[in-house]
Amino acid sequence: MSGLLSRFSSLNLGHLQNLGSMTVVRRRKWFNSFKRTNIILQHLRLSSHTDAAGEVLLERKGCAGVITLNRPKALNALTLNMIRQIYPQLKKWEQDPETFLIMIKGVGGKAFCAGGDIIEVIKANKKISQDFFREEYVLNNAIDSCQKPYVALIHGITMGGGVGLSIHGLFRVATEKSLFAMPETAIGLFPDVGGGYFLPRLQGKLGYFLALTGFRLKGRDVYRTGIATHFVDSEKLGMLEEDLLALKSPSKEDIADVLETYHTKSKIDQDKPFILEEHMDKINSWFSANNVEQIIENLQQDGSSFALEQLKIINKMSPTSLKITLRQLREGSSKTLQEVLTMEYRLSQACVGGHDFPEGVRALLIDKDQSPKWKPASLKEVTDEDLNNYFKSLGSNDLKF
């Protein structure tokens, strides 16, 4: 949900390797890490703005029902009001014999959806925070089980809640401007909206790496990892939309054919290697560990510039969030999506009522001192008992579908 955390800056590895001086390397690493944290804040702040009128547009166009996220100044951050409009309309279109596909997109060009509006959640009363997560996760499940082909145009920043609005759909279309990340551990949360389901199912241990570090993927890499099903040049996105809407009573295969035609014609970054390709063997090894402490030890022992940069980033995250997230993904790897969302609802309520999530939001969004004081402050202080309490059943308050 809190994927408004955005703009992580990945290492310019080639440049680092060519630097002759270790002092310059250290300064460069520190600067990259510092810049990474600061650019996150810019969009977190933007995403906390609200303008209730017309936050989401719901229209019948051609053969489709079209959902347009309409908060460009807030990077289309998702509010409870928007969720409450989208869900019933999705269900109506699903039953409507004249609606053959459902499309979702964002306006403004910068973002599909940068995440859930976490200021709304943190500042609201307990009932609102319960409702937000509950209704968001029910919507995520409805997208997954939708009987009509669902096409998400994930152009621009797509994080947290924005991932929840897209990843569970049948088709996800990325462009060279797409930017994906799940950086919730930086604010004392965890990668929710079904992150415990889709992240451990990515290749190797990639999902574990993305979840714990908040590493961002851009452009064609969003497609290469399977987060997107197709890649289209952004300048062709309008034409693609028109061609989809103009289809006459299309089947799922007809829609796939149109998407495949545009995908095949796209040449941007076609020959550029996957940004993590040279590191995947090591990522698979490092993040196969059974606990966060061992992952950190693996990174320390490796000692490469890439490993040490990931170590520096992980060490800034909430220790509680790191432990919750690793267990969430390990357990989620063998659960259904509904079981994962039920687990994540329990975690969300424990985080809202805990220390680190409100503290992370305070430090990054409210006081903006960029210096969250995590409690517990170290991994060794986060006990198994603490962790078990986050995963406890809520009894009659558990999420139900």
Side-chain angles (χ1 to χ4, degrees), residues 225-383:
T225 56
I227 290 158
T229 58
H230 296 81
F231 180 87
V232 173
D233 299 350
S234 62
E235 64 177 24
K236 299 282 175 36
L237 209 54
M239 290 169 58
L240 168 64
E241 188 178 336
E242 287 176 19
D243 284 354
L244 287 172
L245 298 181
L247 291 170
K248 303 299 180 190
S249 307
S251 65
K252 180 173 70 176
E253 290 72 25
D254 295 332
I255 295 163
D257 286 346
V258 172
L259 292 171
E260 191 61 31
T261 298
Y262 276 84
H263 173 80
T264 305
K265 289 178 181 175
S266 173
K267 304 302 179 192
I268 294 177
D269 292 339
Q270 194 173 40
D271 300 321
K272 193 175 172 184
F274 174 42
I275 192 170
L276 294 171
E277 190 173 312
E278 63 181 303
H279 305 294
M280 275 313 300
D281 287 346
K282 285 189 171 184
I283 285 171
N284 291 340
S285 174
W286 298 332
F287 289 84
S288 290
N290 293 332
N291 55 66
V292 180
E293 291 89 341
Q294 185 61 53
I295 291 172
I296 286 174
E297 191 175 320
N298 291 344
L299 293 168
Q300 287 170 333
Q301 286 180 351
D302 183 278
S304 66
S305 60
F306 181 75
L308 294 177
E309 180 67 14
Q310 306 322 309
L311 180 64
K312 182 181 289 187
I313 290 158
I314 286 175
N315 282 335
K316 291 180 184 295
M317 305 306 193
S318 155
T320 301
S321 288
L322 291 171
K323 287 202 170 186
I324 287 172
T325 298
L326 183 58
R327 178 165 162 184
Q328 169 206 2
L329 267 61
R330 286 170 63 86
E331 290 193 11
S333 66
S334 59
K335 291 180 184 288
T336 65
L337 176 61
Q338 287 193 355
E339 288 169 343
V340 165
L341 291 169
T342 300
M343 169 179 69
E344 290 178 357
Y345 183 70
R346 294 169 182 171
L347 294 174
S348 75
Q349 297 311 292
C351 285
V352 168
H355 173 272
D356 280 8
F357 182 36
E359 170 62 10
V361 173
R362 178 206 65 76
L364 271 72
L365 292 179
I366 299 169
D367 297 341
K368 300 170 189 171
D369 57 38
Q370 306 173 40
S371 183
K373 304 293 187 289
W374 306 127
K375 289 182 185 175
S378 68
L379 288 166
K380 66 183 177 186
E381 295 175 81
V382 183
T383 66

